[in-house]
Amino acid sequence: MRETCVPTGVKLKETGFGYTLSLIGGKYKMIIMYWLSENKVMRFNELKRCIGTISFKTQSIMLKELEADGLIIRKEFPQVPPKVEYSLSERGLSLIPLLNMMCEWGEKNSSPALEAVQR
């Protein structure tokens, strides 16, 4: 059994926990992964419409980082106008159970649930 996810004296970035956070950290990466898990394949503008609050530049950066980390697949079609589709890689799909656990935790611990516990 493991003592702790971040042992004393070990830098966070040198742990599995730190590595995972480096891949999914930030405001939009898990949201992008969520929408790709729900829709399987999406184009840039479809994804932007689903997220709503993300700028073109930020979305572009997040997608490039996710692709560089091997979490999403970018498929470019050689046609005019250009067509690009995004989907989760096998590696990205392996993070979906974590996302689902975060959703469940949030539902159990959101304001109404939290108020009931505090009573």
Side-chain angles (χ1 to χ4, degrees):
M1 181 188 249
R2 189 173 24 183
E3 290 177 26
T4 178
C5 198
V6 184
T8 305
V10 176
K11 294 178 183 173
L12 178 63
K13 66 182 178 182
E14 295 172 356
T15 66
F17 181 69
Y19 177 71
T20 304
L21 286 179
S22 75
L23 295 180
I24 63 171
K27 186 173 179 180
Y28 294 104
K29 286 184 179 179
M30 288 299 284
I31 296 169
I32 290 169
M33 292 183 66
Y34 166 80
W35 284 112
L36 290 176
S37 74
E38 289 290 309
N39 295 287
K40 308 301 180 224
V41 175
M42 295 182 81
R43 294 180 67 183
F44 189 95
N45 285 332
E46 290 176 301
L47 196 50
K48 185 161 182 2
R49 280 191 294 276
C50 287
I51 297 170
T53 58
I54 192 169
S55 71
F56 179 91
K57 182 180 179 182
T58 300
Q59 181 174 324
S60 182
I61 290 168
M62 296 294 107
L63 288 168
K64 285 177 184 172
E65 288 178 4
L66 288 166
E67 181 185 15
D69 291 332
L71 299 176
I72 66 169
I73 297 167
R74 180 183 188 271
K75 185 173 182 183
E76 192 171 336
F77 297 88
Q79 64 184 51
V80 177
K83 179 181 175 183
V84 178
E85 293 180 339
Y86 297 92
S87 60
L88 289 174
S89 66
E90 287 297 318
R91 189 172 192 219
L93 285 167
S94 72
L95 280 168
I96 298 307
L98 175 62
L99 183 143
N100 290 335
M101 286 190 288
M102 290 172 64
C103 290
E104 290 170 18
W105 188 92
E107 289 166 4
K108 290 178 186 171
N109 292 280
S110 62
S111 295
L114 188 58
E115 289 171 15
V117 169
Q118 291 175 341
R119 288 185 199 161

PDB file of all heavy atoms in Angstrom, residues 44-52 59:
ATOM      1  N   PHE A  44     -13.440  21.894 -34.742  1.00  0.00           N
ATOM      2  CA  PHE A  44     -13.045  23.015 -33.886  1.00  0.00           C
ATOM      3  C   PHE A  44     -14.240  23.869 -33.470  1.00  0.00           C
ATOM      4  O   PHE A  44     -14.435  24.141 -32.283  1.00  0.00           O
ATOM      5  CB  PHE A  44     -11.998  23.867 -34.621  1.00  0.00           C
ATOM      6  CG  PHE A  44     -11.365  24.915 -33.758  1.00  0.00           C
ATOM      7  CD1 PHE A  44     -10.168  24.660 -33.116  1.00  0.00           C
ATOM      8  CD2 PHE A  44     -11.953  26.162 -33.597  1.00  0.00           C
ATOM      9  CE1 PHE A  44      -9.564  25.631 -32.319  1.00  0.00           C
ATOM     10  CE2 PHE A  44     -11.367  27.129 -32.810  1.00  0.00           C
ATOM     11  CZ  PHE A  44     -10.168  26.868 -32.162  1.00  0.00           C
ATOM     12  N   ASN A  45     -15.029  24.315 -34.452  1.00  0.00           N
ATOM     13  CA  ASN A  45     -16.140  25.210 -34.136  1.00  0.00           C
ATOM     14  C   ASN A  45     -17.260  24.526 -33.349  1.00  0.00           C
ATOM     15  O   ASN A  45     -17.917  25.164 -32.530  1.00  0.00           O
ATOM     16  CB  ASN A  45     -16.689  25.873 -35.400  1.00  0.00           C
ATOM     17  CG  ASN A  45     -15.765  26.972 -35.898  1.00  0.00           C
ATOM     18  OD1 ASN A  45     -15.040  27.588 -35.125  1.00  0.00           O
ATOM     19  ND2 ASN A  45     -15.771  27.198 -37.205  1.00  0.00           N
ATOM     20  N   GLU A  46     -17.484  23.232 -33.588  1.00  0.00           N
ATOM     21  CA  GLU A  46     -18.464  22.486 -32.790  1.00  0.00           C
ATOM     22  C   GLU A  46     -18.046  22.492 -31.322  1.00  0.00           C
ATOM     23  O   GLU A  46     -18.859  22.721 -30.433  1.00  0.00           O
ATOM     24  CB  GLU A  46     -18.545  21.031 -33.243  1.00  0.00           C
ATOM     25  CG  GLU A  46     -19.162  20.773 -34.584  1.00  0.00           C
ATOM     26  CD  GLU A  46     -19.095  19.301 -34.938  1.00  0.00           C
ATOM     27  OE1 GLU A  46     -17.975  18.740 -34.996  1.00  0.00           O
ATOM     28  OE2 GLU A  46     -20.163  18.717 -35.159  1.00  0.00           O
ATOM     29  N   LEU A  47     -16.784  22.245 -31.108  1.00  0.00           N
ATOM     30  CA  LEU A  47     -16.238  22.222 -29.756  1.00  0.00           C
ATOM     31  C   LEU A  47     -16.357  23.597 -29.111  1.00  0.00           C
ATOM     32  O   LEU A  47     -16.772  23.728 -27.954  1.00  0.00           O
ATOM     33  CB  LEU A  47     -14.776  21.784 -29.835  1.00  0.00           C
ATOM     34  CG  LEU A  47     -14.059  21.314 -28.597  1.00  0.00           C
ATOM     35  CD1 LEU A  47     -14.841  20.268 -27.831  1.00  0.00           C
ATOM     36  CD2 LEU A  47     -12.698  20.764 -28.977  1.00  0.00           C
ATOM     37  N   LYS A  48     -16.050  24.623 -29.864  1.00  0.00           N
ATOM     38  CA  LYS A  48     -16.140  25.995 -29.349  1.00  0.00           C
ATOM     39  C   LYS A  48     -17.570  26.333 -28.947  1.00  0.00           C
ATOM     40  O   LYS A  48     -17.804  26.942 -27.906  1.00  0.00           O
ATOM     41  CB  LYS A  48     -15.619  26.997 -30.388  1.00  0.00           C
ATOM     42  CG  LYS A  48     -15.583  28.418 -29.837  1.00  0.00           C
ATOM     43  CD  LYS A  48     -14.684  29.284 -30.639  1.00  0.00           C
ATOM     44  CE  LYS A  48     -14.563  30.703 -30.139  1.00  0.00           C
ATOM     45  NZ  LYS A  48     -15.247  31.098 -28.967  1.00  0.00           N
ATOM     46  N   ARG A  49     -18.543  25.932 -29.759  1.00  0.00           N
ATOM     47  CA  ARG A  49     -19.953  26.187 -29.422  1.00  0.00           C
ATOM     48  C   ARG A  49     -20.358  25.465 -28.144  1.00  0.00           C
ATOM     49  O   ARG A  49     -21.104  26.012 -27.336  1.00  0.00           O
ATOM     50  CB  ARG A  49     -20.865  25.773 -30.569  1.00  0.00           C
ATOM     51  CG  ARG A  49     -20.947  26.800 -31.691  1.00  0.00           C
ATOM     52  CD  ARG A  49     -22.060  26.478 -32.666  1.00  0.00           C
ATOM     53  NE  ARG A  49     -21.836  25.244 -33.404  1.00  0.00           N
ATOM     54  CZ  ARG A  49     -21.113  25.132 -34.510  1.00  0.00           C
ATOM     55  NH1 ARG A  49     -20.537  26.206 -35.022  1.00  0.00           N
ATOM     56  NH2 ARG A  49     -20.974  23.982 -35.130  1.00  0.00           N
ATOM     57  N   CYS A  50     -19.888  24.258 -27.955  1.00  0.00           N
ATOM     58  CA  CYS A  50     -20.229  23.496 -26.745  1.00  0.00           C
ATOM     59  C   CYS A  50     -19.628  24.132 -25.498  1.00  0.00           C
ATOM     60  O   CYS A  50     -20.286  24.212 -24.459  1.00  0.00           O
ATOM     61  CB  CYS A  50     -19.752  22.050 -26.864  1.00  0.00           C
ATOM     62  SG  CYS A  50     -20.717  21.062 -28.000  1.00  0.00           S
ATOM     63  N   ILE A  51     -18.389  24.585 -25.602  1.00  0.00           N
ATOM     64  CA  ILE A  51     -17.717  25.180 -24.446  1.00  0.00           C
ATOM     65  C   ILE A  51     -18.249  26.582 -24.184  1.00  0.00           C
ATOM     66  O   ILE A  51     -18.500  26.961 -23.048  1.00  0.00           O
ATOM     67  CB  ILE A  51     -16.186  25.199 -24.650  1.00  0.00           C
ATOM     68  CG1 ILE A  51     -15.664  23.772 -24.770  1.00  0.00           C
ATOM     69  CG2 ILE A  51     -15.497  25.936 -23.508  1.00  0.00           C
ATOM     70  CD1 ILE A  51     -14.220  23.671 -25.210  1.00  0.00           C
ATOM     71  N   GLY A  52     -18.404  27.355 -25.229  1.00  0.00           N
ATOM     72  CA  GLY A  52     -19.013  28.676 -25.103  1.00  0.00           C
ATOM     73  C   GLY A  52     -18.081  29.787 -24.677  1.00  0.00           C
ATOM     74  O   GLY A  52     -17.955  30.778 -25.371  1.00  0.00           O
ATOM     75  N   GLN A  59      -8.493  27.938 -27.057  1.00  0.00           N
ATOM     76  CA  GLN A  59      -8.902  26.609 -27.512  1.00  0.00           C
ATOM     77  C   GLN A  59      -7.826  25.996 -28.387  1.00  0.00           C
ATOM     78  O   GLN A  59      -7.496  24.818 -28.248  1.00  0.00           O
ATOM     79  CB  GLN A  59     -10.227  26.664 -28.260  1.00  0.00           C
ATOM     80  CG  GLN A  59     -10.692  25.288 -28.720  1.00  0.00           C
ATOM     81  CD  GLN A  59     -12.067  25.310 -29.326  1.00  0.00           C
ATOM     82  OE1 GLN A  59     -12.935  26.048 -28.886  1.00  0.00           O
ATOM     83  NE2 GLN A  59     -12.279  24.500 -30.337  1.00  0.00           N
TER      84      GLN A  59
END
